[in-house]
Amino acid sequence: MEQDAERTCLQTFELYESESRLYVLGTNFEKTLWRLLKIDRSELSELVIAECSTVYTESEHSDLLKDLDEEHRSTGGVKFVTKFYGIIGFIKFLGPYYMLIITEQKRIGEILGHPVYQVTRTQMVELANSKTRSTFQNSKDENRYRKILNALDLKKDFFFSYSYHIMRSLQKNLSDPQDGWTLYETMYVWNEFLTRRIRNCLRNTLWTVALVHGFFEQDKFSISGKDIMLTLIARRSRHYAGTRYLKRGVNEKGRVANDVETEQIVYEAAPGPTEISSVVQNRGSIPLFWSQETSKLNLKPNIILHERDNYYEGTKLHFENLRARYGNPIIILNLIKTRERRESILRREFDKAIKIINMSLSEEDHLRFLHWDLHKNSQGKPTNVLDVLLKVAFRALSLTEFFYCQVAPSSDTAAQWPTISSGIDPYLCDDNSNSDNTECTEIAGDISQEDISGSSDSSGNATAEDKVDNSGLPPLKPPKFQKGVLRTNCIDCLDRTNVAQYAYGLAALGHQLHAIGSIDSPELGLEAPLAHHLMHLYERMGDTLAVQYSGSAAHNKIFSAKRGHLKLFIQSQEFFRTLQRHYSNTCIDANKQAAINLFLGYFQPQQGKPALWELESSSVEYNNELSSDHPSPGLQRSQLRVCEMAWNGTERFHSRE
């Protein structure tokens, strides 16, 4: 029974308090078994947690509460505090520890029957009791840190699953299944730092949820008489995370700002054995050392390129990390402007960095670099860029391919799957060519119709007619795997990048639907109804990510033009979003960055050390073990003073008045 309990997800929790302890009772979905967690309230400097080894039944639940109440009868007994749905983690400023919990959630979808939830309400519970609380109750610095943390609204775009590892791609989950508390250490779990102490203590994750930040949306549509589930997930990296002007480029560890993994999952929504497919792409800041200073008067501040070394070690580390995660080939689609002075500085330096890095790599590991000035090519008819990007997407997809497999309910076929093929495809670009003169139209012009509609079924996928054999049961077909990744960037990895990611998603969707037998041809044109449907989905994802990083929705003039909106309407919308983004960057982002620094553990307050709001950008030193992996440009004191009123905003973590 205890072994079964270890494998059972705790999904609903009850919080009780006594004068000396907090008690958390957790139960599974069916409420057939319960577990007990004890948290000490008398120790301020340390987090003391103990897990009871006994597994209780539903009938024993009431008896347990009576026993606990009797144990604390002399100090007032045990009182019910709240029902909740998972522990986000524990945090400490200058005083006691606080426990962050999810008090409300909303189901937003599922993956192969595993529900996915969005956080809709949270609460911060102080662990100190009445005797120790008074010491810090009126501390201005303690209260200020609480308000800073509340600037990060956990009710927006944080999602999790109890039973599915949503922080990993489908291919990793099925072909390389892992479990245990170390999963929290992946780059997409935003509460890794907050859960570190309880995970190290208990060596399990029964009580906590792994929060992913970004975008999750799922939609169902019918095609060829089948109900198809389409899921789009964007996972933001917790490494070098922050807001637009305060996190730029790459750091010494090879982490880049606004690093996002986008995954598109397709499968038939039907009982029984399921064919499922996913494809992953990546976006991230230009992996050079560069920055931009915020300016109240200048909507487009100058780009400052920082010279660190001639060997581009940070850039090289970034691509080594990509290769370790996705394999070869790494295809880089760079969409920044050619003629604009600010962006052309980075364009030349990025091109130089790729050439130097490739000189030190084997031919097999060479980076495929493609630059195309999307802005210049959209000056005429903006929708023409989608035609070109779609051709490039088909070519890139033929190199990386995508993930496909058949899964059966309650069966583990992963151990029988073959390893990923190590075959190397031709380069997308000739590394000996002068990429400064390489235009995407030249690359796309060399792509034949066979390449565009191409048939990535060469790895063993059967056609729709081959789905069923004479036995009446669909045979298990060989899986196929994605190898390598398409990495797209513009300056902010927001607006132009999102258009390119849509094109790649559309190219992949046709191949995915073809692989699962829903359409006869892997090619989906831009005028297909599904193309318009997918465009809306990518547009919502782009807006969500843009708000998180820059403070406004994305510039979607190409999507708007594709839908036939008037040019004047598009221009006014773009101008309004530019102003909105500028206001956020100059007045709000410093506070958001401070909240992110606290939440992710970039900065940990200590008595006798400078407070977060006292740090100058030139003298930031982070006093914790994460500092080497999460360097930050710091927060300018002027930025913090401009929007001092924001510190007094609503405390979003609190659900009680």
Side-chain angles (χ1 to χ4, degrees):
M1 179 105 178
E2 288 185 9
Q3 291 178 349
D4 290 340
E6 287 293 333
R7 296 191 296 266
T8 301
C9 299
L10 301 182
Q11 300 189 27
T12 307
F13 304 85
E14 297 173 352
L15 178 63
Y16 296 86
E17 65 175 357
S18 69
E19 183 64 20
S20 60
R21 283 180 179 172
L22 290 177
Y23 293 101
V24 179
L25 279 165
T27 184
N28 58 350
F29 180 77
E30 296 84 4
K31 295 188 177 181
T32 56
L33 51 87
W34 293 77
R35 298 194 67 115
L36 176 64
L37 188 71
K38 306 175 183 179
I39 306 173
D40 184 47
R41 306 186 70 186
S42 59
E43 179 59 57
L44 285 180
S45 59
E46 297 294 334
L47 184 62
V48 181
I49 303 177
E51 183 181 32
C52 182
S53 59
T54 304
V55 178
Y56 302 91
T57 64
E58 175 66 18
S59 61
E60 295 170 328
H61 171 257
S62 299
D63 294 334
L64 173 62
L65 289 176
K66 291 178 182 178
D67 292 341
L68 293 176
D69 187 66
E70 185 64 31
E71 180 183 343
H72 296 278
R73 179 69 63 188
S74 61
T75 56
V78 171
K79 299 176 182 178
F80 174 77
V81 179
T82 187
K83 178 182 176 181
F84 67 100
Y85 300 95
I87 297 174
I88 296 173
F90 296 85
I91 192 167
K92 185 180 187 297
F93 306 124
L94 301 173
Y97 273 94
Y98 300 89
M99 179 172 65
L100 307 181
I101 58 176
I102 300 170
T103 53
E104 289 184 11
Q105 63 184 13
K106 178 176 69 174
R107 180 166 172 162
I108 55 176
E110 66 175 47
I111 299 177
L112 292 177
H114 297 272
V116 179
Y117 300 92
Q118 178 184 338
V119 177
T120 57
R121 198 176 189 185
T122 60
Q123 184 175 336
M124 184 158 62
V125 179
E126 187 176 334
L127 300 193
N129 57 28
S130 59
K131 295 179 181 178
T132 56
R133 181 181 298 118
S134 58
T135 308
F136 295 94
Q137 199 166 26
N138 298 318
S139 170
K140 292 182 179 179
D141 287 352
E142 182 78 6
N143 291 334
R144 190 169 187 178
Y145 276 122
R146 288 166 57 110
K147 291 178 180 179
I148 290 174
L149 185 63
N150 290 328
L152 181 64
D153 191 352
L154 292 179
K155 300 190 300 293
K156 289 185 177 179
D157 312 320
F158 283 88
F159 52 94
F160 66 95
S161 175
Y162 295 108
S163 55
Y164 180 80
H165 301 318
I166 195 70
M167 77 290 288
R168 304 176 84 221
S169 69
L170 181 74
Q171 176 169 313
K172 288 184 177 179
N173 280 331
L174 294 184
S175 63
D176 181 25
Q178 294 184 11
D179 209 343
W181 63 288
T182 55
L183 283 173
Y184 278 62
E185 297 174 2
T186 61
M187 62 190 295
Y188 301 115
V189 177
W190 270 54
N191 58 334
E192 185 278 331
F193 169 72
L194 297 181
T195 60
R196 187 181 299 173
R197 290 175 178 86
I198 184 174
R199 286 185 293 113
N200 287 338
C201 178
L202 304 181
R203 310 299 289 186
N204 67 50
T205 57
L206 285 174
W207 304 92
T208 57
V209 297
L211 291 187
V212 178
H213 186 37
F215 177 84
F216 182 99
E217 189 162 330
Q218 192 169 70
D219 205 359
K220 184 188 291 186
F221 60 88
S222 295
I223 185 169
S224 302
K226 298 179 179 180
D227 289 332
I228 304 298
M229 193 71 77
L230 171 63
T231 306
L232 188 62
I233 307 173
R235 306 174 179 95
R236 293 191 69 193
S237 171
R238 63 182 170 88
H239 298 306
Y240 204 52
T243 54
R244 187 183 180 201
Y245 286 137
L246 295 175
K247 292 291 182 179
R248 289 297 220 194
V250 71
N251 66 15
E252 289 82 359
K253 294 285 185 178
R255 313 293 192 180
V256 295
N258 204 24
D259 191 333
V260 182
E261 177 182 85
T262 303
E263 182 176 22
Q264 182 174 292
I265 303 175
V266 176
Y267 65 91
E268 183 182 354
T274 302
E275 295 176 86
I276 189 167
S277 172
S278 80
V279 67
V280 170
Q281 54 182 317
N282 177 267
R283 65 168 79 185
S285 187
I286 298 173
L288 301 169
F289 293 104
W290 62 283
S291 63
Q292 282 179 282
E293 296 290 339
T294 55
S295 171
K296 297 179 185 178
L297 302 177
N298 187 359
L299 292 176
K300 295 182 178 182
N302 289 331
I303 291 173
I304 303 170
L305 185 62
H306 307 282
E307 295 183 6
R308 299 292 181 97
D309 62 77
N310 295 325
Y311 299 101
Y312 302 98
E313 292 298 329
T315 310
K316 186 176 180 180
L317 281 173
H318 172 67
F319 288 114
E320 287 176 355
N321 179 272
L322 277 182
R323 186 176 294 109
R325 283 151 54 194
Y326 302 112
N328 280 327
I330 304 297
I331 305 169
I332 306 160
L333 178 56
N334 183 30
L335 301 173
I336 60 178
K337 300 173 185 175
T338 305
R339 299 172 182 173
E340 202 252 16
R341 182 184 63 83
R342 295 161 57 255
E343 296 193 13
S344 61
I345 295 173
L346 288 177
R347 180 187 184 277
R348 289 191 297 268
E349 193 70 12
F350 195 15
D351 177 73
K352 179 181 176 183
I354 298 301
K355 288 181 177 178
I356 290 178
I357 291 172
N358 275 341
M359 289 174 61
S360 65
L361 298 175
S362 65
E363 184 175 343
E364 176 182 320
D365 290 338
H366 272 196
L367 304 170
R368 284 80 159 168
F369 183 80
L370 172 62
H371 173 262
W372 188 55
D373 188 339
L374 185 147
H375 183 268
K376 182 183 73 174
N377 287 278
S378 63
Q379 295 303 301
K381 188 177 180 182
T383 54
N384 287 341
V385 303
L386 289 174
D387 293 313
V388 179
L389 287 173
L390 188 58
K391 292 179 180 179
V392 174
F394 275 121
R395 179 59 177 146
L397 188 66
S398 72
L399 298 177
T400 65
E401 299 189 59
F402 57 95
F403 177 66
Y404 163 86
C405 77
Q406 252 182 312
V407 293
S410 304
S411 65
D412 183 10
T413 59
Q416 305 171 12
W417 292 357
T419 57
I420 297 177
S421 170
S422 59
I424 302 300
D425 290 295
Y427 290 150
L428 178 61
C429 295
D430 183 355
D431 293 299
N432 296 320
S433 67
N434 182 356
S435 60
D436 269 334
N437 298 321
T438 302
E439 285 295 336
C440 192
T441 49
E442 298 172 6
I443 302 295
D446 294 330
I447 304 174
S448 66
Q449 184 63 29
E450 182 180 356
D451 288 322
I452 294 175
S453 55
S455 108
S456 41
D457 286 330
S458 58
S459 63
N461 281 354
T463 61
E465 290 76 19
D466 298 325
K467 297 294 176 193
V468 181
D469 62 10
N470 294 331
S471 68
L473 295 175
L476 279 178
K477 297 184 302 183
K480 65 182 304 179
F481 297 88
Q482 178 174 342
K483 55 183 193 299
V485 73
L486 173 65
R487 183 199 193 275
T488 310
N489 72 267
C490 47
I491 285 294
D492 296 317
C493 303
L494 297 175
D495 313 316
R496 289 166 279 180
T497 295
N498 202 59
V499 175
Q501 287 213 322
Y502 160 68
Y504 188 75
L506 180 60
L509 181 60
H511 282 77
Q512 290 176 291
L513 291 173
H514 180 253
I516 67 175
S518 295
I519 58 177
D520 295 329
S521 169
E523 181 179 1
L524 274 181
L526 287 167
E527 301 305 322
L530 275 180
H532 294 278
H533 188 80
L534 189 70
M535 185 175 70
H536 284 284
L537 198 59
Y538 271 83
E539 188 174 17
R540 288 193 291 273
M541 180 187 73
D543 287 342
T544 300
L545 296 177
V547 169
Q548 292 169 9
Y549 186 58
S550 70
S552 83
H555 293 288
N556 292 316
K557 62 181 181 181
I558 293 177
F559 290 156
S560 296
K562 182 66 178 174
R563 284 195 291 268
H565 291 168
L566 295 176
K567 187 175 182 180
L568 182 61
F569 168 80
I570 296 173
Q571 290 175 340
S572 61
Q573 183 185 58
E574 298 299 294
F575 179 69
F576 173 75
R577 290 182 177 179
T578 297
L579 293 180
Q580 191 178 27
R581 189 171 292 186
H582 178 66
Y583 171 76
S584 179
N585 298 160
T586 55
C587 287
I588 299 175
D589 283 1
N591 298 341
K592 284 176 62 178
Q593 185 66 61
I596 291 171
N597 288 346
L598 284 178
F599 189 86
L600 296 178
Y602 293 0
F603 178 88
Q604 298 176 41
Q606 288 186 5
Q607 293 283 0
K609 299 288 186 178
L612 180 58
W613 50 87
E614 295 174 344
L615 296 173
E616 295 284 359
S617 60
S618 60
S619 62
V620 174
E621 293 183 3
Y622 293 108
N623 55 343
N624 61 82
E625 70 274 15
L626 295 179
S627 60
S628 62
D629 201 28
H630 303 282
S632 169
L635 301 176
Q636 298 179 11
R637 183 175 294 169
S638 60
Q639 289 176 304
L640 290 171
R641 287 176 176 171
V642 166
C643 294
E644 187 72 15
M645 65 186 73
W647 301 124
N648 299 319
T650 303
E651 294 191 25
R652 296 185 177 94
F653 278 112
H654 285 275
S655 62
R656 293 182 293 182
E657 293 295 324

